Amino acid sequence: MGFGVMIGASASLCRSMKVQFESTTQQELAIWHEQKQQYAAAKAAAHRKFGEHVAWQLVQLSERVIEYRAATAGQAVPRRDWRAWISLFLAGWCTRLVNEVQAGPVHHKWHA
């Protein structure tokens, strides 16, 4: 076997390995991009869900104030009660935030 034949066979093997490597790399990159998009979508859904939760808590706090004013002929909520309500709001908000962070966006069950 001549030197030229060995070089040709070696070059052919290298080209084959290069094509296989490029194919594998493209597949891995496609999988990585898909996982990245799924994670971003899950993260966005978690943020949306958390925002909805906080918004509903604000609505409930507002409703409580409206109900109090309706029951007391328009009087303002006493500071003691207001502080207690705000503490409950913050406790619920902080608890939800801690739970969201601990669970991570990927582990949540999102609703459409």
Side-chain angles (χ1 to χ4, degrees):
M1 195 189 264
F3 183 70
V5 173
M6 287 180 13
I7 293 292
S10 179
S12 177
L13 179 62
C14 286
R15 278 192 297 274
S16 172
M17 289 174 63
K18 180 183 175 190
V19 168
Q20 183 180 2
F21 173 77
E22 288 174 348
S23 174
T24 303
T25 302
Q26 287 175 351
Q27 290 172 353
E28 289 173 353
L29 192 58
I31 290 170
W32 179 77
H33 281 296
E34 183 180 336
Q35 289 173 343
K36 187 176 174 184
Q37 288 175 344
Q38 289 173 352
Y39 179 79
K43 187 176 178 180
H47 288 176
R48 180 187 53 78
K49 188 174 181 179
F50 178 73
E52 286 176 0
H53 176 74
V54 171
W56 278 114
Q57 281 192 323
L58 285 171
V59 168
Q60 290 171 349
L61 181 63
S62 300
E63 288 174 343
R64 183 179 276 186
V65 170
I66 290 169
E67 290 171 0
Y68 183 88
R69 287 192 168 199
T72 61
Q75 292 181 352
V77 177
R79 287 183 189 266
R80 179 180 46 93
D81 293 339
W82 178 251
R83 287 186 187 126
W85 294 354
I86 293 297
S87 294
L88 290 173
F89 169 77
L90 292 176
W93 183 77
C94 291
T95 301
R96 179 69 179 228
L97 178 61
V98 168
N99 291 340
E100 292 279 333
V101 169
Q102 286 176 346
V106 176
H107 304 294
H108 286 286
K109 295 179 182 175
W110 318 135
H111 66 280

